[in-house]
């Protein structure tokens, strides 16, 4: 951001606050706008109101405020002189430069993001091991096919030698226990390599090895960032980023990937499933239990508990016609992918779900849970139930029912009963926007394989063929949060629509997936409406939506695996950086998004973020991320707040890669063929 832009930004808010006050200008989603209106009528304050009354700090926004010791905070805003290329003499008390401060702050965001995903993964690994050792009866190893597929990556034998020397399948429980132990060991490992990093295409892995950034252990790399960013340790932004890379790989190709793998083995690998999305999935005459957060461990049990006939009967006794489960954020994505449980909304809709007056209980686990839901719930009858010892809310108005993997099903039943018991306590008029859209989700990378290639010859070859022949221009991974500093869902939808209009197939996760779901983009029918002719043709032939929902935020690891499969299928280069592909997080806000962005970049993906990136205060560091990284990893960061330009930058990169692969000519020919055909038809 230039000084002029920063100044213009700080001059404009008053105007903007007034202008932004209209609900229809705060969200691209009509149901959300309606509920903002409703919250204001009722005098219930939400994040949309707070965003208007509190401006972000304009030094923090640049990434150049350091509070790593008590001599600070040292604030180093960009000066006009530096902006115009003058000598940069800015220093903190200890002498830390703007580049060091911005890089340290960036590294700490990676550490926090990688920690969040990976600690989630650790919890899954612990439950997995308890299930494998039969210490809990609530969880069972469900997907033995996937277990056998992943076992070799953990160096676990899946066969044994029989007495006569014949090869026999090893006992499945034994395999599961060993996979669980080896998986859990990846966190505390001090030497060697996180074993799943080897899944990356060989040239990528070899490059990481050469650069010394293959993670040794998941936790170790995160701790090392915290050490290196302490006052007076690592004061070289390139060196700080190289450690950020090691921690981010430990997330995407480690903690997150293992979380996804083990969740699939425990709960089943997702396959296409129908459902619906938006606040309209709440039912006035049902007990509404909303599940919010990120971990599927408890919510899997809640799904089963809520379906029990005795629970439904109990709900009837309390005057309800049944129990409606729905979800917010990534826990929602998890239980949607495997059970078709509908999505109530994404990050910025959590308070608004409660404002409907119809939510009898909102059960939360970890991450992206706004503290203010407790205040909103206080204005209604809604019970907020915290469940994780790591994530409590200091409000007298929440209840805590702690999840324990050994008593998970009992805990889940308690939660369902609490929701049912609360149904008769509704004390405000119920207003549910009558808006929801149908959707198809469940596109694990295995499901894409199956869908494109058929049961017996599942492969990514048909996808590659269509990229090579130009019907599909390339692949866009569009993911990430909502951000109250920008219009809700608007960036997501504009970027995705622009991509599919230009024949770029979109892989989505997280809150972008929910935004797309609400807008009807997760249906095969949307292809005919929004896609360019090539992508529309492929979607219609195969019967898939142009936007494939691959799951929650930890499931961004599925995108890495899909990209790896595309490389393996051949014809599109030797590594992920060769692919006509690009990544995007149009409305990011969480530290997890920075970790995800960074592992995409160092895996070779050009990755564009929307809204803002806290690096603009250091032009040197910014240039390193936006330009220099490409020469090291093949991928680089970029920032583009305008969603159309954002998508166009991705398309330009995809075209550049097509060009390098020699595919540009073929695409032109296909387009000419199409035009020629239309001309013929018109004649
Ligand atoms: Fe959404 Fe995953 Fe972002 Fe949170 S972080 S706001 S995508 S729920 Ni993953
Ligand atoms: Fe200031 Fe250095 Fe302390 Fe940061 S570490 S607050 S730059 S003195």
């Amino acid at each position: 951001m230039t000084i002029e832009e920063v100044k213009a930004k700080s001059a404009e808010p008053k105007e903007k606050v007034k202008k932004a006050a209209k609900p229809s200008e705060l969200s691209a989603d009509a149901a959300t706008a309606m509920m903002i209106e409703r919250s204001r009528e009722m005098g219930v304050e939400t994040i949309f109101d707070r965003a208007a009354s509190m401006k972000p700090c304009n030094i923090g926004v640049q990434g150049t405020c350091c509070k790593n010791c008590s001599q600070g905070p040292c604030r180093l805003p960009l000066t006009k002189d530096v902006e115009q290329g003058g000598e940069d003499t800015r220093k903190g008390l200890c002498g830390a430069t703007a580049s060091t401060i911005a890089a340290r702050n960036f590294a700490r965001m990676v550490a926090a993001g990688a920690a969040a995903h990976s600690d989630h993964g650790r919890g899954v690994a612990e439950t997995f091991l308890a299930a494998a050792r039969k210490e809990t009866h609530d969880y069972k190893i469900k997907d033995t096919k996937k277990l056998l597929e992943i076992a070799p990556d953990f160096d676990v034998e899946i066969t044994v030698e029989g007495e006569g020397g014949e090869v026999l399948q090893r006992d499945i429980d034994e395999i599961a226990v060993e996979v669980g132990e080896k998986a859990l060991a990846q966190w505390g490992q001090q030497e060697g390599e996180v074993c799943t990093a080897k899944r990356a295409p060989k040239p990528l892995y070899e490059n990481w090895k050469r650069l010394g950034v293959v993670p040794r252990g998941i936790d170790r790399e995160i701790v090392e960032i915290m050490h290196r960013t302490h006052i007076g340790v690592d004061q070289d932004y390139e060196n700080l980023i190289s450690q950020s890379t090691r921690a981010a790989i430990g997330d995407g190709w480690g903690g997150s990937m293992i979380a996804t793998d083990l969740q699939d083995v425990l709960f089943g690998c997702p396959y296409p499933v129908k459902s619906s999305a938006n606040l309209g999935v709440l039912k006035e005459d049902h007990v509404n239990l909303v599940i919010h957060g990120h971990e599927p461990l408890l919510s899997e049990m809640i799904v089963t508990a809520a379906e029990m006939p005795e629970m439904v009967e109990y709900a009837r006794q309390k005057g309800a016609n049944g129990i409606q489960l729905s979800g917010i954020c990534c826990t929602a994505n998890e239980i949607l992918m495997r059970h078709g449980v509908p999505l109530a909304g994404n990050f910025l809709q959590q308070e608004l779900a409660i404002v409907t007056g119809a939510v009898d209980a909102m059960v939360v686990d970890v991450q992206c849970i706004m503290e203010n839901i407790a205040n909103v719930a206080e204005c209604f009858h809604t019970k907020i139930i915290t469940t994780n010892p790591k994530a409590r809310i200091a409000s007298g108005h929440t209840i805590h029912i702690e999840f324990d993997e050994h008593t998970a099903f009992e805990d889940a039943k308690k939660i369902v009963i609490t929701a049912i018991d609360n149904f008769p306590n509704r004390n405000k008029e119920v207003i549910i926007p009558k808006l929801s859209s149908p959707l198809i989700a469940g596109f694990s990378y295995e499901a894409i394989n199956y869908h494109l290639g058929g049961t017996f010859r599942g492969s990514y070859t048909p996808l590659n063929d269509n990229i090579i022949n130009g019907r599909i221009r390339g692949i866009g991974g569009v993911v990430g949060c909502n951000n109250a500093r920008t219009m809700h869902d608007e960036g997501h939808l504009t970027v995705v629509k622009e991509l599919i209009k230009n024949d770029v197939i979109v892989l989505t996760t997280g809150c972008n997936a929910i935004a797309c779901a609400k807008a009807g983009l997760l249906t095969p029918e949307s292809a005919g409406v929004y896609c360019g002719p090539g992508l529309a043709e492929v979607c219609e032939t195969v019967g898939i939506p142009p936007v494939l929902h691959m799951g929650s935020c930890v499931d961004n690891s599925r995108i890495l695996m899909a990209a790896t499969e595309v490389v393996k299928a051949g014809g599109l280069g030797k590594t992920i950086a060769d692919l006509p592909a690009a990544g995007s997080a149009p409305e990011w806000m969480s530290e997890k998004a920075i970790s995800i962005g960074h592992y995409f970049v160092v895996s070779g993906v050009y990755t564009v973020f929307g809204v803002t990136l806290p690096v603009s205060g250091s032009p040197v560091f910014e240039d390193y991320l936006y330009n220099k990284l490409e020469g090291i990893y093949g991928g680089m960061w970029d920032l583009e707040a305008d969603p159309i330009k954002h998508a166009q930058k991705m398309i330009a990169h995809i075209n550049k890669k097509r060009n390098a692969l020699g595919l540009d000519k073929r695409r032109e020919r296909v387009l000419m063929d199409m035009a020629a055909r239309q001309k013929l038809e018109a004649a």
Side-chain angles (χ1 to χ4, degrees), residues 161-166 168:
E161 207 172 293
E163 276 171 21
E166 70 277 30
L168 302 172

Side-chain angles (χ1 to χ4, degrees), residues 66-74 92-96 101 104 231-232:
C66 178
K67 54 176 179 59
N68 293 12
C69 86
S70 78
Q71 303 170 97
C74 294
L93 254 63
C94 64
I101 292 174
R104 282 201 297 226
I231 180 176

Side-chain angles (χ1 to χ4, degrees), residues 8-29:
K9 241 197 161 159
S10 27
E12 102 203 11
K14 278 170 226 111
E15 268 256 324
K16 214 174 189 177
V17 168
K18 257 212 237 133
K19 241 181 78 196
K22 260 166 80 187
S24 60
E25 289 169 1
L26 291 174
S27 176
D29 169 38

